[in-house]
Amino acid sequence: MNIRIVFCLVAHALFLSCTIENSKSIEDFEIHPDFKIELVASEPLVFDPVDMQFSPSGKAYVLEMPGYPMRDEQSRIILLKDTDDDGIYDERKVYADSLGVASSFMFYNDGFLVASPPHLIWISDQDFDGSAEERVHIMDGFSNENLQHNFNGLTYGLDNWIYAANGGNSGKPYFFSKPDAILNLRGGDLRLDLENEIAERVGESSGGFKITFDEWGRLYETHNLEHVSQLVFEDRYFGNFPVTPGHALTNISDHDENGLSRIYPIGEQETRVNHPEQSGYFSGACGITFYGGGIFPEDFDSSLLVADCVLNLIHMDLLTENNAASKASRVGDRTEFLASSDRAFRPVNMTVGPDGSLYVLDMHREVIEHPEWIPDEIEAELDLNAGRKKGRIYRITGVQYNYEKPKDLESFSEKEFVTALGNKNQWIRKTAQQILVTNKNYNSVPLLATQLDTTQNPLAKIHSLWTLEGLGSLSNKQLMKALNDPYSPIAENALKILEARPAEIDKFIEPLLGLTLASNSRLRMQANLTLSTIPDSLYFAHRGQIAALLRKALNETQSDQWNRMAMSFALSRQAGSFVGEELTNNKELTEDQKQVLGILTGIVGKEMDGLSIKSVLDGIYKSDISTSSKAELIESLSEGYIQRVTQLADKDGKNSILQALRSLENTNDLSIIKAAGELRLAMGFQSSKKINELVAQSQKDILAQKGSIDEQLIQLKLIGLSDFDSRATLLYTLLNSKRPMVLQRESLKQLWNSNEKGVGPKLLVMWNSLAPEARKHATDILLYKSFNHDALLTAMEDGTVNLGEFNLDLERRRVLLFSDDEDIRKRAEALFSDSGVVQRKQVILEMKPALALNGDSEKGSMVFENLCSSCHIYGNTGNDVGPVLTEISRKSKESLIHEILDPNAAVDTRYLNYKVVTTGGSIYFGLVSNETDTELTLKMTGGEEVIIPKNTIEVFMSTGKSLMPEGLEAGINKQDMADLLAFLQQAR
């Protein structure tokens, strides 16, 4: 009795605490004007939340992870209670503890599945006392390493499988009852059929936290820098085909800048503990969630939300079709769906509840980055536990929405469950389907059949379809009708169901073939993917019809890379003959034909016999298509052959291939001869006399700059087939800045591929004369070839190269700092630390008090005009020479002061200062703003540009320094610096 009284008092205190925190916290947020945010739970009701799930009755369960990142406490699941039905939680009860480092869970079979690496476990409260006393270990073998990258994102799929994100650590999971049936994840996500104990690799994983499905079962992922990607189709279709990429995971953002998506945090920004160059861009993307709750304003029905836990915000994209894939377009110009000025706001996950609201889980930590990615010196100064024992959960709805207690699905009748499959809330639809399937509710089959046959609601139709399939009660008649449904997502899903019926697929062959010409790009892709899986006997019985239909599709429809892949997979069993027919029937190839035939010739090279290879080569030789297309097909053949598991043993087949190659070489077209030479190399044949003669002549022609640049490039690639020693001198000669850029790039590519130990030292000798583009590639050769590290560090130590020229971000620094060679490690540590490159440490320390001063932005604008405007633009002020600073406010004051006072610590190669001396004696200093094969454009301080013909350049060398001079501190005091920082951090 006394315990009950105390608990009630505590619960009342917690409720009061939540109310007070609510009024305090909401002020820190900026949210889209069509939405509102409410705090529904906070500490001490909830701590360190990372996942939230609802039972069918509408009860809210939260997974807490207090052991992140130190592993010093175990995860637990708590039940949050709303005792007065006002939508605000006011009681807490521990449902299950001792869950290891679990970071994901989902409702399943009257309990919960928990991702607790290395295990997948099931827990349940069988005696209904509110605590889970039953615990079953289902699987083992998941990796348990960096906690950010353990498997996670458990979710029930539209197809009745349970899906999980790899997280990045991979592993080799297996069911406890089948210890020999190990699944090697190899960087892929997975799906599970728990009833039949089947685990399958789904496709390439983004390696991030959480996955999500839209209403039609399409899978979306996220990971740190790449905030939204889509698995366009699963790995099972790829087989071992030689295609690039070898997976269908792709970035679908339409608002990336140089591979990164710009986001807009609010408030003064903190100094990044790593990668300051990523400030203002996605770097902590996580918790991706498709909103399908049905209560948001109509314009946001197909929205996808991604949190950035580093920059304290939630980003919203709208999804639209983009051929076979989707496209994600940002909502709001230079603003985010939700952003907080509270630097401890750490949104790590989101979920849509039974009421249709979006629930945001705020782990509320001062430091969210994992220690593995925090430089050691910085980590020593941080309190990684700051913010532990805190946590917030927010509810987001439309501004006009008033909370209503959700319905209890556990009380539903069979009719209500079936009707719920058409509910506008995705959570209700999926939960109803899951309960009907996992509980094997066969009594619902007649109701499902009626709904499938009569409903005009596509959501009700697709869930009824998959529920019947999950119950093993979907008839062929129902499936046939779904295949012919005019709404493409229904037919698309019917095709996936069809694949599970190989013995009956012959009954569906005509509609299947017809869908290869569907007007919808994604449906067309799925039809071809499904066609690629049909049994051999059925395939070859319809071989001619398949070829004719796909030839028609190639000629009459415009495809994307995913449709091209799908068509190629569907044609793979007749690759050689289809290529031959296309070469005979076409005088020129469309881009779609080129891509499909390229994949098919690769398949011939990898999987078919010598006579098939010879037949394709003969077809290429006799064809009227362009020489460039011929060369590309031969190159595809080579790329496929390189991937062969077993090499050709047929002597006659090899001899016939050699005859075909000689015919091609006799065409005297360099691009074809170069491609033929590559195939010779791949197959282990000796170079021909003709190729050797052409290589020798090409060296002379390039040195004499004879022929067009395009011709010289082909000659240089041909030379690449020869021994490295015979072409090394030419490759170094072509790095002269007067030479065309394309030749410089190809030379550096060959230098990289050579793996010769003499390359690095030679590049260092030439360093000052290398152009910006060449330097960019040269730094990679020096840094990522370990045998160059000694020479590189020597050059850094004696000043031959400037540290700032090497873009030494965290990972690049660690190549040297974490070297296996102790001497390399020590020498690197003497030059820079894990926290960064600082060359003017004393100057920065002396100016550091400026960070604590109040700055005046108006006075700062005058400092900017005096010191910075000759080379930088901020707003409407300044000259466009160096980087535009209008969005520099995304960086912290501390980062800015480092960049101002130590400009050479990290120099983008675009802003290096170069010296040019012309044959007429003119001397110029500036950065290279543009370079063509014949001209160089130099931009000088003040913005003046000069265009210099390359044939007039006598000296071209880098100063190794940024155009921005060191020593700016001599002209300003600490208050001036504070004013300048205040000016630069204004919102623009």
Side-chain angles (χ1 to χ4, degrees), residues 519-565:
S519 59
N520 180 271
S521 181
R522 185 169 179 86
L523 180 56
R524 205 162 60 243
M525 175 194 75
Q526 186 58 54
N528 280 301
L529 292 172
T530 300
L531 188 58
S532 73
T533 69
I534 67 174
D536 281 347
S537 58
L538 184 61
Y539 184 94
F540 287 108
H542 294 270
R543 172 178 176 163
Q545 190 179 0
I546 291 170
L549 284 168
L550 296 193
R551 184 172 294 113
K552 182 178 175 66
L554 271 175
N555 289 329
E556 297 182 2
T557 62
Q558 190 168 358
S559 297
D560 59 4
Q561 68 178 117
W562 311 115
N563 261 291
R564 293 169 193 147
M565 279 188 183

Side-chain angles (χ1 to χ4, degrees), residues 943-975:
E944 181 185 353
E945 286 189 332
V946 58
I947 299 174
I948 308 170
K950 284 190 172 181
N951 60 9
T952 68
I953 294 176
E954 186 172 293
V955 176
F956 177 81
M957 61 181 294
S958 168
T959 64
K961 301 282 187 178
S962 167
L963 185 62
M964 181 174 172
E966 293 179 352
L968 289 180
E969 71 281 355
I972 59 174
N973 57 36
K974 295 178 180 62
Q975 185 59 57

Side-chain angles (χ1 to χ4, degrees), residues 698-727:
S698 294
Q699 289 229 30
K700 295 176 183 177
D701 290 347
I702 292 174
L703 285 171
Q705 301 185 50
K706 182 180 177 181
S708 70
I709 293 172
D710 287 341
E711 289 171 341
Q712 290 181 54
L713 179 60
I714 295 172
Q715 287 178 310
L716 183 55
K717 289 180 177 180
L718 177 66
I719 291 167
L721 300 175
S722 63
D723 178 74
F724 177 76
D725 288 342
S726 67
R727 57 190 158 99

Side-chain angles (χ1 to χ4, degrees), residues 116-388:
S116 179
H119 304 130
L120 174 69
I121 63 176
W122 176 77
I123 58 175
S124 181
D125 173 19
Q126 295 291 302
D127 58 10
F128 306 105
D129 66 349
S131 298
E133 73 283 342
E134 185 164 354
R135 187 172 300 209
V136 178
H137 283 71
I138 299 173
M139 297 183 75
D140 197 352
F142 292 98
S143 291
N144 184 12
E145 298 172 17
N146 183 321
L147 299 189
Q148 287 183 349
H149 296 297
N150 284 336
F151 86 109
N152 64 80
L154 291 169
T155 188
Y156 193 83
L158 183 63
D159 59 0
N160 301 305
W161 287 72
I162 291 165
Y163 286 76
N166 180 313
N169 286 340
S170 294
K172 297 180 179 180
Y174 56 89
F175 287 93
F176 274 94
S177 60
K178 298 179 178 179
D180 295 329
I182 294 172
L183 174 66
N184 188 347
L185 289 178
R186 305 187 324 277
D189 294 326
L190 72 154
R191 68 174 188 168
L192 306 168
D193 175 350
L194 295 186
E195 183 179 351
N196 296 301
E197 296 190 325
I198 300 171
E200 294 180 354
R201 190 178 185 274
V202 178
E204 185 78 6
S205 176
S206 67
F209 185 63
K210 198 178 177 184
I211 54 177
T212 195
F213 290 97
D214 69 10
E215 64 267 67
W216 311 120
R218 296 160 189 169
L219 178 60
Y220 303 93
E221 310 186 25
T222 189
H223 180 227
N224 290 354
L225 304 179
E226 193 167 292
H227 80 283
V228 53
S229 52
Q230 179 185 6
L231 188 70
V232 183
F233 56 82
E234 296 84 353
D235 266 14
R236 66 178 182 272
Y237 298 112
F238 277 89
N240 292 310
F241 298 136
V243 292
T244 302
H247 59 80
L249 183 71
T250 186
N251 182 348
I252 61 169
S253 169
D254 70 353
H255 47 284
D256 280 13
E257 302 171 1
N258 300 317
L260 295 174
S261 260
R262 181 77 165 90
I263 48 178
Y264 299 91
I266 62 173
E268 184 175 331
Q269 296 302 296
E270 288 182 323
T271 300
R272 291 287 302 264
V273 297
N274 55 39
H275 291 291
E277 74 282 356
Q278 292 171 6
S279 298
Y281 293 88
F282 263 113
S283 60
C286 59
I288 188 168
T289 301
F290 175 79
Y291 178 76
I295 67 165
F296 275 12
E298 188 176 347
D299 289 345
F300 304 94
D301 276 350
S302 294
S303 57
L304 198 66
L305 298 113
V306 183
D308 190 295
C309 59
V310 175
L311 291 183
N312 326 104
L313 57 81
I314 293 174
H315 176 85
M316 178 185 275
D317 286 327
L318 291 182
L319 292 173
T320 54
E321 286 193 355
N322 182 26
N323 290 314
S326 300
K327 178 173 67 176
S329 305
R330 73 156 30 252
V331 172
D333 180 29
R334 296 168 60 85
T335 187
E336 297 303 333
F337 174 71
L338 176 71
S340 176
S341 58
D342 179 1
R343 298 283 77 92
F345 172 62
R346 303 296 186 182
V348 295
N349 207 346
M350 291 165 278
T351 191
V352 178
D355 62 334
S357 300
L358 179 73
Y359 290 84
V360 177
L361 279 69
D362 169 16
M363 203 173 188
H364 216 79
R365 295 287 187 87
E366 289 188 22
V367 180
I368 197 69
E369 289 87 352
H370 192 279
E372 181 179 343
W373 304 112
I374 302 176
D376 294 340
E377 302 118 277
I378 295 176
E379 183 183 338
E381 298 176 1
L382 296 175
D383 179 2
L384 297 181
N385 293 314
R388 284 179 68 166

Side-chain angles (χ1 to χ4, degrees), residues 590-794:
T590 66
E591 186 60 31
D592 286 342
Q593 288 173 320
K594 285 180 186 178
Q595 296 298 324
V596 169
L597 296 188
I599 294 172
L600 293 176
T601 53
I603 291 171
V604 171
K606 182 177 181 182
E607 298 185 354
M608 298 192 176
D609 59 23
L611 292 177
S612 297
I613 295 173
K614 195 254 184 193
S615 177
V616 167
L617 289 172
D618 286 342
I620 293 171
Y621 174 73
K622 295 174 184 177
S623 174
D624 293 328
I625 64 174
S626 68
T627 54
S628 61
S629 294
K630 289 183 177 183
E632 288 168 4
L633 290 176
I634 300 169
E635 288 167 3
S636 296
L637 203 59
S638 300
E639 290 164 4
Y641 193 89
I642 289 169
Q643 297 179 46
R644 286 183 82 98
V645 176
T646 57
Q647 301 303 304
L648 282 179
D650 177 14
K651 184 177 179 182
D652 292 334
K654 285 187 173 183
N655 287 335
S656 65
I657 291 171
L658 276 172
Q659 291 173 5
L661 287 172
R662 290 188 193 104
S663 297
L664 287 163
E665 289 164 5
N666 286 331
T667 62
N668 292 324
D669 181 88
L670 277 183
S671 61
I672 292 176
I673 294 170
K674 188 269 298 182
E678 288 174 345
L679 184 56
R680 281 179 175 271
L681 201 61
M683 298 188 72
F685 298 150
Q686 286 187 343
S687 180
S688 66
K689 180 181 178 182
K690 179 155 193 166
I691 289 178
N692 292 337
E693 290 173 349
L694 284 171
V695 165
Q697 185 59 48
S698 294
Q699 289 229 30
K700 295 176 183 177
D701 290 347
I702 292 174
L703 285 171
Q705 301 185 50
K706 182 180 177 181
S708 70
I709 293 172
D710 287 341
E711 289 171 341
Q712 290 181 54
L713 179 60
I714 295 172
Q715 287 178 310
L716 183 55
K717 289 180 177 180
L718 177 66
I719 291 167
L721 300 175
S722 63
D723 178 74
F724 177 76
D725 288 342
S726 67
R727 57 190 158 99
T729 300
L730 174 66
L731 297 179
Y732 293 127
T733 300
L734 291 176
L735 297 185
N736 186 304
S737 59
K738 295 181 182 180
R739 293 288 187 162
M741 291 171 60
V742 290
L743 299 185
Q744 293 183 50
R745 290 192 202 103
E746 175 62 23
S747 296
L748 284 159
K749 180 181 177 181
Q750 292 189 26
L751 290 171
W752 169 275
N753 290 335
S754 73
N755 280 323
E756 290 287 331
K757 293 184 178 180
V759 169
K762 180 65 175 177
L763 289 174
L764 289 167
V765 170
M766 303 174 63
W767 191 256
N768 284 339
S769 63
L770 295 180
E773 181 79 12
R775 283 188 180 218
K776 192 184 300 182
H777 297 287
T779 57
D780 288 344
I781 293 173
L782 291 164
L783 196 60
Y784 293 118
K785 302 284 188 182
S786 58
F787 48 74
N788 287 328
H789 287 173
D790 176 59
L792 172 59
L793 287 169
T794 298

